[in-house]
Amino acid sequence: MKRILTGDRTTGRLHLGHYIGSLANRARLQNEYDTFILLADVQALTTHFKNPALIHDSICQVAVDNLSAGLDPEKITLVQQSQVPAIAELTVLFSMLVSVNSLRHNPTIKTEAKQYGYDDLSYGFLGYPVSQTADITFCGADLVPVGADQMPHMEAAHKIVRRFNDLYGDTFRLPQALLSATPRLPGVDGNAKMGKSLGNAIYLSDDAETVAAKLRSARTDPARLHAADPGDPQVCVAAAYYKAFAPQSYEEICESCRGGKIGCAACKRELARQINALLEPVRERNAYYTARPAVVKELIAAGTARANAVGAETMRRVKDAMGVTL
Ligand code: TRP
C-alpha cells in the first residue's frame, strides 16, 4: 500500500471547514492508503508557543475530531509530532539544504506572518516548511493531501528532497501533493475563511441546537430585507453551505432564493436539518471518544510507536548518506 501523510496543527477543535476541505477526503482515502495522521504539536508551537495549555488539550481533541470524521482507528496511524525524534533530527539536517531567502519569500509564510502580526519572524516559524518536509519524508509518504495554502510548502519539500537526493544519493521519493478539490468554506460571518481564531466556525463537536443557532446568525444577502425580495445566493453564506454540504438541494434553493419564493429563515432551517443529519454520526463518534480519553491516548501512543519504528529506519539511511556515522 502506498502511504499518505497529512496532519493538523493542534491549536483547537476542528470545524466544518476542515471537514469538507480535508477530513471527509481522508476518510475516503484511508481504504486505499496506509494513512498517517500527524498531530502537529511542534508546528502548533510556532504560532502558539505562549499557550501550552491549548496545545496540550488540542492533541487529543484533534485526534478525536479526526476519528469523529470517520477515520478508522484500525486503519490509520495517529502520530504525535513532538514524540518522533526522526522529525526533529531531519529538520536539523534538512536545514542545511534550504536558503533563508526561499523561506522568507514563501507566500504562505508571508500571509501567516501578517495574520499573526509578526514583523520579527522567529527562526522556528520561518523554518516550519523545513520541519513539514521532515513530517512528510520521515515515513516516506507518497501522497500528501493538502489545501491550496500548503502548496508553497510542498514546493519547498520537493526542492529539499531533490537537493538531498542529488547530493547524497537517492534516499527519498518525491512526495506528491493531492490538492483538495473543494473551495474554501466561508465563516458564518461571511469572512472568506472559516477559522477558529476568527470566531466564525461551526465545530464538529457542536450540538444540533448550536449548529442551528449559528446558521440562524449566518450572513445572507444584505440587500434582501423581506422574504419575498429576490436574493442573491452569490453573496450568501447559507448558499455556500448548501453547495458544500447539501449539493443535491443547491440549485433548487438558489432558484427559490432568486425568485423570492423562500425566506432566509426557512432556508436556514432546512440547511440546519441537512447539516445536522450529516453531522449526526460524527457527533456520535465524538461523544464516544470524548468519553474515553484513555482509549484515545492509547491510540496516539500506539500510532506514534509505529511511526518511530519507521523513523528510526529512515534515520539510519539518512545519516549514512550524509556521512554522519562512524
Ligand atoms: N501546515 C498544515 C496546516 O496548517 C499542517 C501540517 C503539519 C501538515 N505537518 C504537515 C500538512 C504535513 C501536511 C503534511 O494545515
Side-chain angles (χ1 to χ4, degrees):
M1 253 194 194
K2 289 195 169 187
R3 182 164 292 155
I4 276 179
L5 181 128
T6 188
D8 309 291
R9 293 182 189 183
T10 60
T11 54
R13 292 180 291 164
L14 302 186
H15 51 62
L16 282 184
H18 295 114
Y19 183 82
I20 200 72
S22 57
L23 300 177
N25 199 32
R26 290 176 193 176
R28 280 190 291 272
L29 292 166
Q30 67 179 334
N31 300 309
E32 292 158 59
Y33 292 88
D34 180 15
T35 300
F36 279 43
I37 301 294
L38 190 74
L39 308 165
D41 53 357
V42 177
Q43 192 175 116
L45 284 167
T46 64
T47 51
H48 288 64
F49 60 92
K50 290 183 180 157
N51 199 347
L54 173 72
I55 291 183
H56 173 263
D57 295 348
S58 301
I59 295 167
C60 287
Q61 181 66 59
V62 168
V64 167
D65 285 337
N66 271 279
L67 296 166
S68 306
L71 291 178
D72 180 348
E74 299 277 316
K75 291 183 184 148
I76 63 154
T77 302
L78 288 166
V79 183
Q80 187 185 353
Q81 189 186 30
S82 63
Q83 306 306 309
V84 181
I87 296 177
E89 291 189 48
L90 273 180
T91 303
V92 173
L93 297 173
F94 285 162
S95 73
M96 317 305 163
L97 309 180
V98 68
S99 80
V100 173
N101 264 330
S102 73
L103 294 167
R104 285 180 49 239
H105 293 125
N106 178 305
T108 297
I109 291 285
K110 283 207 244 177
T111 308
E112 289 178 350
K114 207 176 287 167
Q115 177 190 330
Y116 289 105
Y118 299 154
D119 40 24
D120 192 14
L121 298 186
S122 80
Y123 173 57
F125 175 79
L126 184 68
Y128 93 72
V130 183
S131 141
Q132 190 154 318
T133 302
D135 299 341
I136 295 165
T137 52
F138 91 92
C139 64
D142 299 283
L143 205 63
V144 185
V146 282
D149 60 330
Q150 300 296 302
M151 289 312 275
H153 302 339
M154 290 307 297
E155 241 174 75
H158 281 174
K159 270 189 166 166
I160 291 171
V161 164
R162 282 209 191 89
R163 190 112 198 264
F164 191 103
N165 288 347
D166 280 352
L167 285 167
Y168 308 114
D170 234 343
T171 306
F172 295 108
R173 51 175 156 273
L174 211 59
Q176 292 306 312
L178 180 67
L179 187 57
S180 168
T182 51
R184 170 161 273 175
L185 195 71
V188 287
D189 60 355
N191 190 304
K193 187 182 175 192
M194 182 176 281
K196 32 201 170 193
S197 53
L198 300 166
N200 62 8
I202 295 176
Y203 293 97
L204 296 184
S205 44
D206 281 345
D207 62 32
E209 184 39 45
T210 305
V211 171
K214 286 182 177 176
L215 289 175
R216 279 197 293 277
S217 78
R219 186 167 167 91
T220 51
D221 178 358
R224 193 178 194 212
L225 302 178
H226 309 287
D229 295 348
D232 180 3
Q234 295 290 359
V235 296
C236 175
V237 168
Y241 289 0
Y242 268 101
K243 191 166 192 175
F245 301 106
Q248 72 289 350
S249 308
Y250 177 67
E251 290 302 337
E252 192 187 327
I253 208 82
C254 288
E255 266 317 298
S256 304
C257 173
R258 284 193 208 97
K261 290 197 209 84
I262 186 171
C264 293
C267 170
K268 288 170 164 181
R269 265 198 305 278
E270 172 58 16
L271 178 63
R273 197 187 62 73
Q274 297 220 34
I275 290 183
N276 276 326
L278 186 87
L279 283 181
E280 199 41 48
V282 176
R283 227 175 252 137
E284 264 169 37
R285 287 187 288 260
N286 208 291
Y288 178 89
Y289 287 111
T290 301
R292 291 165 180 79
V295 170
V296 176
K297 282 187 188 163
E298 182 46 40
L299 287 171
I300 298 172
T304 304
R306 178 176 179 226
N308 273 325
V310 176
E313 173 54 31
T314 303
M315 289 320 295
R316 267 193 292 280
R317 289 189 293 117
V318 166
K319 288 180 178 170
D320 216 30
M322 292 185 95
V324 292
T325 45
L326 278 184

